[in-house]
C-alpha cells in the first residue's frame, strides 16, 4: 500500500501532466538559438508568428525598465538591443501568462496577481544580478519568473483545500509549513518538478527549489538573488498569492555587496512595465508597430 506522501506525489505528477507545456514560440526560439546560424531576423520572424506576444514584447522593450524607451520599432530591433537570452525570457513571460489562462481549478486563484508578481520578481532579480555583476542575469530572470510556479502545480493537484491553505497562511514561512504538513511537499519542491519536466537549466531549477533558503546572508548566488527579487517585488506593491506582504529593510545587510536599489524608482518602472505587458493586442485591434 502506498504511503500518503507517495499518493500526494502521484497527484502532483498527474497535475503537472495536465498543465500547459512550454509555449511553442519559446520552443521555436530555443531551436533557432541552438543553431550557429541564429540571427536577429530569424528570431524575430519566430516571435512575430504570435501577434499578441509581439505587441507585448515591443511595449515592454520600450519601457523604462529595459532602458530602450521609444527606440524599439520592430522585433528584430528588440532582439539586437535586448539580446537573444533576455528576449527569449521576456517572450516566455508573456506566453506563459496567456497559455495558463484560467484552466479548470486554476480559476480558483487570481492568476493575474500571480503572474504580475512573477514578472515583477523576474525583473527585480535580473536587476539585482546585473548590479551584483554576476554572469547569471538571464537565469535570475527565469528563476524569478518561475519561483512560485509550484503554487499553480499544487492548486491544480489539490484544488480548494490548497487554495484555503494559500489564503490562510499568515506568512511565507507559515505557508511552507502548511504545505509540507498537508500535501507532503512545499511549492518550491513542486515547482522544481515542473521545471525539471520543462528541461529548464539546472541552475534555474535549483533557484526555484531553494529560493526560500536564500533569505539570509550577503552572497549573490542565484537562490539568494531570486529570494531578494521576491521580497522587493512584494515590498513595492506587487505581491503574490500569499497574503503576507513583508517590509524590506535597505538599511540592514539585506543586499549583496555593491547593490543599491531606489525603491521609489523601481516601483515606478515596474508599474510601467507591467502595464505595458497587459496592453497586448486583442482580436480586432491594430497590428504590431513596425
Amino acid at each position: 500500500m502506498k504511503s500518503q506522501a507517495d499518493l500526494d506525489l502521484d497527484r502532483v505528477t498527474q497535475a503537472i501532466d495536465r498543465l500547459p507545456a512550454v509555449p511553442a514560440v519559446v520552443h521555436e526560439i530555443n531551436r533557432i538559438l541552438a543553431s550557429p546560424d541564429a540571427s536577429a531576423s530569424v528570431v524575430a520572424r519566430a516571435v512575430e508568428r504570435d501577434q499578441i506576444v509581439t505587441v507585448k514584447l515591443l511595449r515592454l522593450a520600450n519601457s523604462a525598465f529595459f532602458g530602450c524607451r521609444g527606440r524599439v520599432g520592430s522585433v528584430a530591433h528588440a532582439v539586437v538591443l535586448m539580446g537573444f537570452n533576455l528576449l527569449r525570457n521576456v517572450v516566455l513571460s508573456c506566453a506563459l501568462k496567456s497559455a495558463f489562462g484560467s484552466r479548470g481549478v486554476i480559476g480558483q486563484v487570481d492568476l493575474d496577481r500571480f503572474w504580475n508578481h512573477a514578472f515583477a520578481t523576474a525583473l527585480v532579480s535580473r536587476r539585482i544580478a546585473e548590479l551584483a555583476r554576476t554572469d547569471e542575469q538571464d537565469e535570475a530572470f527565469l528563476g524569478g519568473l518561475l519561483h512560485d510556479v509550484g503554487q499553480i502545480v499544487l492548486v491544480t493537484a489539490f484544488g480548494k483545500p490548497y487554495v484555503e491553505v494559500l489564503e490562510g497562511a499568515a506568512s511565507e514561512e507559515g505557508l511552507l509549513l502548511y504545505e509540507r504538513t498537508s500535501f507532503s511537499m512545499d511549492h518550491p519542491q513542486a515547482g522544481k518538478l515542473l521545471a525539471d519536466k520543462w528541461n529548464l537549466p539546472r541552475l534555474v531549477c535549483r533557484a526555484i527549489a531553494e529560493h526560500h533558503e536564500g533569505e539570509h546572508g550577503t552572497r549573490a548566488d542565484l537562490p539568494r538573488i531570486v529570494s531578494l527579487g521576491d521580497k522587493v517585488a512584494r515590498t513595492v506593491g506587487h505581491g503574490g498569492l500569499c497574503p503576507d506582504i513583508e517590509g524590506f529593510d535597505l538599511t540592514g545587510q539585506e543586499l549583496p555587496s555593491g547593490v543599491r536599489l531606489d525603491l521609489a524608482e523601481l516601483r515606478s518602472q515596474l508599474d510601467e512595465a507591467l502595464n505595458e505587458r497587459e496592453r497586448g493586442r486583442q482580436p480586432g485591434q491594430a497590428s504590431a508597430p513596425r
Side-chain angles (χ1 to χ4, degrees), residues 26 113 129 188 207 235 283:
V26 178
R113 181 177 176 85
T235 299

Side-chain angles (χ1 to χ4, degrees), residues 223-236:
R224 172 68 176 153
I225 287 172
V226 171
S227 173
L228 289 170
D230 175 22
K231 185 180 286 189
V232 173
R234 285 187 276 125
T235 299
V236 298

